[in-house]
Amino acid sequence: MADNKDYGLVAIKAYNLIIKDNKKPRNAWKYASKKVFCNSESSQNKSCPMCSFLGSCSEGILIGVDKSEYTTSVYNKKYAIDALTLIKKDKAKYTNYTSKELWEVLTKNYSKKIRHNSQMDVVLALVKNGLINWELV
């Protein structure tokens, strides 16, 4: 079984492939996920963390990544952007949260309970590695 933090590693590897090898975000994610999860096709194909990453790319908030439509996901993109907006308010506080703690804060006022599915692992990895253009959040 995959460690959820591994999706943060996939996000960093994918970002580096976009920047250094000029890969398209979706292709970069697929390549990176195969490297990190070489023994688990289900982990490679998990859509929630991928769509959170692609949603962040779509908004152009990752440094050096052009704004474009990289995903049709509505919810996972929204979760990533909402989390970044929350983190921007108090980076010192929220970057010390675990992904599950951040998820709980983010979703506490939602009308229905939504299960964390590695979206915040991606967000926190991008934040902690300094890859967010905060002026665009």
Side-chain angles (χ1 to χ4, degrees):
M1 183 172 207
D3 181 347
N4 287 340
K5 289 188 175 96
D6 290 341
Y7 288 102
L9 178 60
V10 172
I12 301 310
K13 287 183 175 292
Y15 175 83
N16 287 330
L17 288 166
I18 294 166
I19 300 303
K20 294 177 181 170
D21 295 346
N22 205 30
K23 286 194 177 286
K24 299 278 187 212
R26 182 175 293 275
N27 293 338
W29 180 273
K30 287 181 179 183
Y31 184 85
S33 68
K34 285 181 181 179
K35 291 294 184 187
V36 173
F37 300 115
C38 55
N39 296 319
S40 176
E41 191 172 335
S42 65
S43 294
Q44 292 170 20
N45 295 324
K46 191 171 179 177
S47 65
C48 292
M50 178 184 70
C51 290
S52 292
F53 176 76
L54 294 176
S56 300
C57 291
S58 292
E59 292 300 306
I61 58 176
L62 298 185
I63 296 169
V65 179
D66 293 333
K67 183 177 182 174
S68 187
E69 196 57 44
Y70 300 113
T71 182
T72 57
S73 170
V74 174
Y75 292 110
N76 289 301
K77 177 180 174 179
K78 179 182 179 349
Y79 302 148
I81 303 309
D82 288 353
L84 290 167
T85 301
L86 178 66
I87 291 168
K88 184 178 180 179
K89 292 177 184 176
D90 191 343
K91 289 180 199 155
K93 176 181 177 181
Y94 292 118
T95 54
N96 286 315
Y97 277 33
T98 66
S99 59
K100 288 184 181 181
E101 290 170 333
L102 182 59
W103 182 256
E104 290 299 318
V105 172
L106 183 68
T107 61
K108 73 179 177 185
N109 294 322
Y110 284 16
S111 58
K112 66 178 185 173
K113 181 78 173 152
I114 304 167
R115 191 173 64 99
H116 177 255
N117 203 1
S118 303
Q119 300 96 327
M120 298 302 104
D121 297 295
V122 169
V123 169
L124 287 171
L126 296 171
V127 169
K128 290 178 180 181
N129 283 273
L131 305 179
I132 304 298
N133 182 344
W134 291 106
E135 292 176 7
L136 300 177
V137 175

